[in-house]
Amino acid sequence: MQALQASGSFVTHLECGKCRARYPAGQLHSLCTACSRPLLVRYDLPAVARALHKGDLPPREVSLWRYRELLPVTRPENIVTLGEGFTPLLALPRLGASLGLSRLLLKDEGQMPTLSFKSRGQAVALSMAKELGVTRVAIPSAGNAAGAMAAYAARAGLEAFVFMPEDVPQGNLMECDLLGARVFLVNGLISDCGKIVKDGQPLLHWFDLSTLKEPYRLEGKKTMGLELAEQLDWQLPDVIIYPTGGGTGLVGMWKAFDELEHMGWIGPKRPRLVSVQAAGCAPMVRAFEQGQEHAEPWQNAHTVAAGLRVPGAVGDFLILRAIRETGGTAVAVTDEELLADQKALARAEGVCAAPEGGATVSALRKLVASGWIKPQEQVVLFNTGHFIKYPYTAAPPVHLRKEAVDFARLA
Ligand SMILES: *Cc1c(COP(=O)(O)O)cnc(C)c1O
């Protein structure tokens, strides 16, 4: 293991993503106390670059903890892990050919311990919660974040409270219960659940793990960018297409690339970051198109892609900045389109994606058709979860009567 600094990590401080106010490392933090915006973890990157070299990575563990110098945990015994990270980067030759693309790839986050990329954020967040002495955690969630939080809380031995919309996918509900979390269904959206967690905090003394209110989930998510860079031998792709809800995935990767450039591991070239949202809940797309710095909350948010049903994001300005600074764009796709493409991806490539993953294929189609993506460009789609958590997106089965099978009709 490389020598870490005396503090045990390379974190120097936390910094508000908006007003740049500074906060000390090694303490619990939520949003910036000055402007109520997310805090970003800052590292002594020149020191990381001295301690860690690209060649150190290949023999390391096949999980996101291979990048421990770029993660905030101070003492290894605090790491709470289920082996998350280092998901495969799959070539999609058949789907690519059907769209005239020869270099189409998919990072398959469905192959995670909790079957979604939320494992990454919660592994790091619960490790830090443990390190900083938290005993009770709470989360508002559209589904997958709660499942992941419940899993890592169980593994860390922490008490977990989960607040989800009533119509959350059943699998998410059941996994949280199995994992021993206290589960509550709320007659509203994730934003209503978030208010309950906030209002209950002074009475129930839980630590709020809401997206981007808690600064370390983003550090876990950023490992998608680190992995992508390593898996592509430190040559980033031309375009990344990512399904966006609260935005930690996109913002995390953008942060990762920035850190890698500061370490001298990559150059200034960035993939164009594409944010995909559902037409029934597309606050980032609207704000991007209108040239806004912040996104107005979306009214009557609805989509089958539960992870995308986030009407307002506290990190909206970071999402929009990441898209604009990289020359990216934002695309809305209908539920009909994303479900058709979930199927198309499965049938062309054998990948059982979450509907959110299907949405990236729909966005790709539009961007190829408009000429925004060129045939020779290297494009990476992110499938953020596994289909099996959304069984209601499958077609109903055909029943046969064993006494009277009509084989003529099976062909
Ligand atoms: C949470 C979630 C998203 C949205 O991710 P953000 O990084 O918060 O924007 C997308 N897909 C799935 C499957 C999710 O669970």
Side-chain angles (χ1 to χ4, degrees), residues 238-291:
D238 296 301
V239 176
I240 291 176
I241 306 187
Y242 199 91
T244 305
T248 53
L250 213 65
V251 174
M253 283 195 276
W254 178 61
K255 183 173 189 284
F257 299 149
D258 205 46
E259 290 175 356
L260 290 176
E261 186 182 353
H262 274 95
M263 288 168 60
W265 285 23
I266 61 169
K269 184 200 158 206
R270 291 290 180 279
R272 297 176 343 253
L273 297 178
V274 179
S275 169
V276 188
Q277 297 202 293
C281 181
M284 295 305 146
V285 178
R286 185 172 62 189
F288 175 75
E289 287 174 351
Q290 295 178 351

Side-chain angles (χ1 to χ4, degrees), residues 18 49 73 107 122 140 142 146 153 156 213 224 264 318 389 399 403-404:
K18 181 93 184 170
V73 180
K107 183 113 169 109
Q122 297 297 350
K213 275 191 192 169
M224 289 189 292
L318 295 173
K389 298 191 106 177
H399 290 267
E403 305 82 10

Side-chain angles (χ1 to χ4, degrees), residues 116-118 143-145 211 217 221 224 242-250 307-308 310 319 354 356-357 384-386 390:
S116 87
F117 84 109
K118 297 291 196 301
N144 286 326
T211 298
R217 282 176 66 185
K221 305 285 183 73
M224 289 189 292
Y242 199 91
T244 305
T248 53
L250 213 65
L308 305 187
V310 181
I319 302 171
E356 293 86 345
T384 43
H386 197 283
Y390 311 72

